[in-house]
Amino acid sequence: MSVLAIEYSGLKEINGQFVIYEGVDGASYEEIVELRVRGAGGFVKKTGQIVGISGDKVIIRVFEGTDGVSLTNSAIRLTGRPMEIPLSEEILGRVFDGAARPIDGLGELYAERKADINGKQLNPVSREYPRDFIQTGISAIDGLATLIRGQKLPIFSGNGLPHDRLAAQITRQASLGREGDAGDSFAIVFAAMGVKYDVAEFFRRTFEESGALERVVMFLNLANDPVTERIITPKAALTAAEYLAFEKGMDILVILTDMTAYAEALREISSSRGEIPSRKGFPGYLYSELAGIYERAGLVRGQAGSVTQIPILTMPNDDITHPVPDLTGYITEGQIVLDRNIHQQGVYPPINVLPSLSRLMKDGIGEGYTRADHPDLANQLFSSYARVGEVRALASVVGEDELSDLDKKYMEFGKAFEDGYLRQGKFENRGIMATIALGWRMLRILPKSELDRINAGILDEFYESDM
Amino acid sequence: MNAKGQIHGIDGSVIRARGSRGFIMGEMVKVGAEGLIGEVIGVEEGCVTIQVFENTTGLRPGDAVTGSGKPLCVTLGPGIISNIFDGIERPLRKIEELTGKFIARGAKVDSLDMERGWDVTVTAMEGDIVSPGGVIATVPESASVTHKIMVPPGVSGEIVSIRPSGPYTLRDPIAVVKTKSGGKRELYLWQEWPIRAPRPVAAKHPASVPLITGQRIIDTLFPIAKGGTAAVPGGFGTGKTMTQHQIAKWSDADIIIYIGCGERGNEMTQVLEEFTELIDPRGGRPLMDRTMLIANTSNMPVAAREASIYTGITIAEYYRDMGCHVAIMADSTSRWAEALRELSGRLEEMPAEEGFPAYLSSRLAAFYERAAYVRNLNGTEGSVSIIGAVSPQGGDFSEPVTQNTKRFVKSFWTLDRALAYARHFPAINWLTSYSEYTEDMENWYDDNVGKDFSSFRRRIVNILTEESRLMEIVKLIGADVLPDGQRLTLEIARVVRLGFIQQNAYHKHDTYVPMAKQRLMMELILYLYDKAKALIDAGVAMSAVRSSGIFERIIAVKFEVGNDEPEKFTEYKVEIDKFYDEVYASDIG
């Protein structure tokens, strides 16, 4: 197209990451433009995206930032294309920056095709409801907030809590590959948004140690990388994941960290555009943006492959009602919540099981999936552990000695649950049957009459012995 | 002559166009080469503002905008039931056939299948004088639903010709009506109606008949009327969707309209799968035979999300006009409100609370006011009940959507995080929830369920209120110091909570409980209370009363007694009598 050749130089305004050009013909909404900036050492190329059009005036968000741009030293060229990334099976084992440019020194990628990073929405009637249990080897997750293939299950954490270790342990132990499969169909897509270099390096090392590096695609936008690229990173990663899953039939685990940094990047860009803020300064469309990311998980009916997401987010000030965890919880299919108090007791993984939840669990456990008693057992553990909280509150008022005998049993159960059930080693991989047996061992601390969530038949079968 | 214009500016789902002066507020327009569907939401000299129901990426200034001359409408006719649509009534299964598993935009599909043949029984005759709402034919739309073909609002006159019964498609004219002004109007199996305008009715009636849901805490403690409104606010993970699913499955409405508004795609998949398998306890047919779904999931375009609840309620009103009782599940109205906020922000309107537009409350009111128990134009009675989920930000019920919703609904079922954490489901908090229908419907309950129903209900409420008062003390000093009479109240309250209020959606007996059994369960618990109280009053220690295990037995009744085994309650009463006699004999006698 001839349009591609035309350069426009009518730069009128520079504002944060945005530049405004006038006199531009034929620009289309959200297309990518190339910016040529004349500097001391020659021309610098930047990339931007059109985010607003009014007549011949276009607003462009510049990914690399607007440093060095003046009203006279730059020109743009329209590409006529939306934001795309190159795809081929060779992306496995590669490392890209936040805007999907290779940064591992292995050169450009030979692209089989290019794909729009916004993806397309999966038709709700084409989805397949996820039911396959994934064993992570972590009791608190397998037993009480089960991960299902095709689920989006975030980790809600706080700064200084071991969410990275937990995510690493899950990726190491999750036997995602289908039965009878050598693991060829399993791969990890890792996207870092605004995290420290050490965090990215920790994950890289973990993948390397487990020998999985060849099956990992990494997209890294670190804390000091451009904010405008940060909002592209998860979309690029998910585009790669969808390609591998639904075109190459692989089971993909996507780790996105840290979603809070992503949302803050959105806020920064929104405020520099002068948009009307909603809660805590975040833009009104934060929910839609987050949904556009989290909904890109799942299974497609009649097709091999799956995308399972484990987004990690840090709750500012450990506040679960902060807009980012709050909106996330409304979109994702449950959440795993880490707790600072449990962490301070020295328990790893410090999962607070009460607010943790897996919405897909009910259809992926029980008879034919894990074991018939699993749903009742999980319910009872939740209910009894919730009671522990009440008893502890009472004990802090009247003192532990003044508690009734039954309440003392609950205190004992609470301690045993945290030390025996929750706590496990960073490399300890517990099978689901071991987790279930452990759950029963905990419940036996309590009198049988207290176990009111368990079907009488199941209770009689399992309360006395392990089977 | 339809208005024409060209795109001038683009900002997300909102575009501005320049062109002819003929654009009408609320008019449906086609945008760009792909003919994306949009709606005019602002008109000024030389410029119109349009919200586009599809992704606007790639649109350019200069692209054509064409008016349609009519407002955004839904097509109403056979083929709606069992179907799944997006927010502007495009059938998702057809879109899948056309564009594959991922939705491509600009798909040109008819809302209803125009080619499918329907077995039409014509009931009107040539020479009949008909008026709006008059039934001219019926169509078996699904095994559970007989679709009545009605004369559309605004049309009346004499039928000058009508086809005989037989197979017809939506393309075939069925009858011709000569209107009073002398014009002729062809009637089809379908009609159109603008989504933002309520369909006319003859009269509204006060709501006095409950919508039976089979959920004990709702039916007994906080009922909703047919033609009533309810809101279910709750933070994430408290079971809003689950509550909505349960009502959609088991309520005694004739038609269920489930609107997935800005929620998860997998949830719609789940409804599709489950409702196709589950059997309606009344009709014996799959639930999907009386259900239609609107899926505008969270990642689908935001403007269509805004439209989706209007699409849903217009379809509901259409079935109501046939004399059906329709229940709408709107999950979630907060996402709809956020869509309003997002569009309002793009229009650079002055925000009110938390960035929501100032007209949030009037829009909510307009939506909930479309629920009613009515006498239709054709003389039948029907109702539209709305059950709206609310997803308050941060689980904080003081936020604008919850507060504004509260003003317009009469049943309010607050979901409680603490209950959900303890996996007490449904996690409806019995202290903060309310229903303004309770008193209006007491007569119905006493006449149809049992004359003592309302008094049982009051006693159960009293036990729970008393418990919460006592728990204040227990939290400070423990339960052991309470006198035995009060400890019995706590114990009975536990039986009420676990044995009555808590309900297991996955248990074959417990997922749905008929009213008669709900009454018997209350009666049994109160019978136990009276007997145990007599023992305590006679001086028996609470520990002796509790050790009998009778409380656990009564809690288990909900699982042990099937919905069709009311005679078993007599056995339980005998058991309670035996417990009374034994404890009395060993302690006192």
Side-chain angles (χ1 to χ4, degrees), chain A residues 386-408:
Chain A
R387 176 79 195 272
V388 169
E390 290 167 24
V391 173
R392 281 181 181 164
L394 180 62
S396 69
V397 178
V398 299
E400 218 168 299
D401 294 343
E402 298 297 315
L403 292 177
S404 67
D405 290 344
L406 180 63
D407 285 349
K408 282 179 185 156

Side-chain angles (χ1 to χ4, degrees), chain A residues 126-197:
Chain A
S126 309
R127 278 183 186 270
E128 175 154 344
Y129 193 70
R131 293 176 198 280
D132 290 351
F133 163 73
I134 297 173
Q135 180 172 313
T136 65
I138 295 160
S139 291
I141 297 176
D142 290 351
L144 301 172
T146 315
L147 180 65
I148 305 286
R149 185 200 315 275
Q151 186 174 21
K152 36 195 183 283
L153 188 63
I155 298 176
F156 287 9
S157 182
N159 292 311
L161 294 178
H163 43 265
D164 295 330
R165 277 185 198 294
L166 180 62
Q169 187 172 4
I170 293 172
T171 50
R172 212 166 38 231
Q173 295 178 177
S175 25
L176 262 169
R178 290 169 199 275
E179 257 173 66
D181 167 305
D184 282 1
S185 72
F186 172 60
I188 296 168
V189 173
F190 176 82
M193 286 92 67
V195 301
K196 293 187 289 280
Y197 171 78

Side-chain angles (χ1 to χ4, degrees), chain A residues 26 29-30 55 287 301 326 330 362, chain B residues 8 12 57 60 262 392 394 506:
Chain A
Y29 188 60
E30 297 202 319
Y287 180 82
R301 193 158 35 80
D326 189 46
Y330 278 121
K362 59 185 189 303
Chain B
H8 179 73
T57 300
R60 298 164 187 248
Y506 303 107

Side-chain angles (χ1 to χ4, degrees), chain B residues 95-221:
Chain B
I95 291 183
E96 185 190 33
E97 280 172 28
L98 281 176
T99 73
K101 313 227 168 197
F102 290 86
I103 298 175
R105 58 179 196 179
K108 290 190 180 44
V109 285
D110 292 317
S111 293
L112 301 178
D113 190 338
M114 302 302 278
E115 310 303 332
R116 177 170 168 188
W118 294 97
D119 190 12
V120 180
T121 308
V122 173
T123 56
M125 282 187 297
E126 217 173 281
D128 281 0
I129 304 294
V130 290
S131 57
V135 177
I136 57 166
T138 61
V139 173
E141 186 174 5
S142 76
S144 315
V145 178
T146 302
H147 193 112
K148 293 179 183 163
I149 308 300
M150 297 173 293
V151 178
V155 177
S156 52
E158 183 191 344
I159 295 182
V160 290
S161 75
I162 190 159
R163 300 246 200 139
S165 300
Y168 297 104
T169 68
L170 266 54
R171 291 196 196 286
D172 303 320
I174 298 299
V176 177
V177 171
K178 193 172 137 200
T179 59
K180 293 201 179 83
S181 60
K184 287 199 175 163
R185 174 86 185 254
E186 285 186 325
L187 299 187
Y188 294 82
L189 294 179
W190 57 275
Q191 51 179 283
E192 278 191 323
W193 190 259
I195 61 168
R196 298 188 196 275
R199 285 174 67 87
V201 297
K204 290 195 178 186
H205 290 314
S208 56
V209 180
L211 179 75
I212 304 294
T213 64
Q215 311 304 304
R216 289 185 293 262
I217 185 160
I218 294 176
D219 290 344
T220 297
L221 296 184

Side-chain angles (χ1 to χ4, degrees), chain A residues 1 3 26-31 51-56 80 82 116 118 120-131 144 150-152 156 242 246 273 275-279 283-285 287-288 291-292 295-303 320-321 325-335 353-360 362-363 376 378-379 382-383 386 390 393-394 397-398 402-405 449-450 452-453 455-456, chain B residues 8-13 55-61 84 91-93 95-96 99-104 234-242 261-270 272-274 277 295 297-302 305 335 338 341-342 344-346 348-351 354-355 390-395 417-418 420-425 471 473-480 494 498 502 504 506-507 546 552 555 559-560:
Chain A
M1 274 166 77
V3 177
S28 64
Y29 188 60
E30 297 202 319
E31 85 173 283
V51 295
I53 304 179
S54 183
D56 67 353
D116 182 349
N118 286 309
K120 285 192 207 161
Q121 305 111 22
L122 184 53
N123 191 324
V125 302
S126 309
R127 278 183 186 270
E128 175 154 344
Y129 193 70
R131 293 176 198 280
L144 301 172
Q151 186 174 21
K152 36 195 183 283
F156 287 9
E242 283 173 344
F246 302 129
R273 261 199 88 178
E275 291 172 336
I276 293 167
S278 62
R279 215 154 51 111
Y285 48 79
Y287 180 82
S288 299
E295 277 289 311
R296 292 172 79 175
L299 311 175
V300 178
R301 193 158 35 80
Q303 231 166 291
I320 199 168
T321 67
D326 189 46
L327 295 179
T328 298
Y330 278 121
I331 305 164
T332 54
E333 286 145 345
Q335 63 278 333
V353 297
L354 295 181
S356 298
L357 165 76
S358 162
R359 289 167 191 271
L360 301 183
K362 59 185 189 303
D363 298 305
D376 278 7
N379 251 329
F382 279 122
S383 160
E390 290 167 24
L394 180 62
V397 178
V398 299
E402 298 297 315
L403 292 177
S404 67
D405 290 344
S449 63
E450 283 298 301
D452 47 33
R453 300 301 176 90
N455 174 297
Chain B
H8 179 73
I10 306 161
D11 180 15
S13 54
N55 188 350
T56 52
T57 300
L59 288 180
R60 298 164 187 248
I84 173 166
L92 288 169
R93 291 200 187 94
I95 291 183
E96 185 190 33
T99 73
K101 313 227 168 197
F102 290 86
I103 298 175
F236 57 83
T238 50
K240 281 184 304 300
T241 301
M242 202 56 215
C261 174
E263 291 285 311
R264 304 174 185 89
N266 275 335
E267 280 172 2
M268 299 315 290
T269 315
Q270 187 192 359
L272 269 181
E273 283 186 15
E274 262 191 57
E277 285 164 20
T297 56
S298 54
N299 56 340
M300 286 159 79
V302 65
R305 192 197 300 167
R335 303 300 160 230
E338 277 162 18
R341 174 168 71 186
E342 194 171 326
S344 164
R346 301 227 187 251
E348 295 177 0
E349 293 170 337
M350 183 73 81
E354 298 203 14
V390 181
S391 320
Q393 300 166 348
R417 207 163 244 175
Y421 283 180
R423 300 318 190 249
H424 171 113
F425 288 116
M471 284 313 283
I473 305 170
V474 171
K475 268 185 202 146
L476 290 177
I477 51 174
D480 290 352
R494 190 173 79 92
L498 299 179
Q502 212 180 81
N504 187 337
Y506 303 107
H507 191 280
R546 191 195 265 157
E552 268 63 38
I555 288 172
F559 297 138
E560 305 290 326

Side-chain angles (χ1 to χ4, degrees), chain B residues 3-21:
Chain B
K4 283 195 170 15
Q6 294 86 39
I7 296 181
H8 179 73
I10 306 161
D11 180 15
S13 54
V14 173
I15 63 168
R16 289 192 165 77
R18 297 208 162 140
S20 69
R21 302 181 67 211

